[in-house]
Amino acid sequence: MTTYVITVPGTFLRGVPDSLCSDIGRRLRPQDPRNTDLGESEALSVLTVEEDGMFAARVEVEAADRSQAEAEAVRLVSRALRDSGLAEEDSALGAAVVTGIESEF
């Protein structure tokens, strides 16, 4: 298995209070990319939200390949959004991208 840092971009389609963003970040904390060399050196935040509602969630995922890692990251971020009380129509997710790879070869 390889450890990937995956960025999942998105947009909040309605106003989201800071307390909800904090809750989403808390739910993603177990997958915080700061646990990786890249996350530590780049000081990556698990959730970054811009004033216009655009956001980037960065998570650490272990997977056999890039495709599985991206799919798992989207699943994790989607679940954090829904578990925080956001309906599917309240946020849109973009395509996940690999931000970093950490393997033991």
Side-chain angles (χ1 to χ4, degrees):
M1 293 289 239
T2 301
T3 301
Y4 293 85
V5 175
I6 307 290
T7 299
V8 180
T11 303
F12 293 122
L13 302 173
R14 294 178 170 79
V16 175
D18 289 343
S19 60
L20 186 60
C21 292
S22 294
D23 186 54
I24 295 165
R26 182 183 56 74
R27 292 175 188 278
L28 292 172
R29 187 67 50 211
Q31 287 79 38
D32 193 336
R34 289 186 190 203
N35 298 325
T36 65
D37 290 338
L38 174 71
E40 186 178 340
S41 67
E42 298 296 322
L44 296 178
S45 296
V46 72
L47 182 67
T48 304
V49 181
E50 302 296 326
E51 289 182 24
D52 60 0
M54 291 178 34
F55 66 88
R58 294 172 193 86
V59 294
E60 172 188 338
V61 176
E62 284 196 23
D65 62 36
R66 176 186 189 134
S67 178
Q68 288 179 358
E70 290 170 344
E72 177 65 5
V74 169
R75 188 186 70 72
L76 289 168
V77 173
S78 293
R79 186 176 67 205
L81 294 170
R82 303 308 159 245
D83 289 353
S84 293
L86 284 174
E88 204 166 315
E89 60 271 8
D90 292 335
S91 61
L93 296 180
V97 294
V98 174
T99 307
I101 300 173
E102 189 174 276
S103 64
E104 296 184 23
F105 291 110

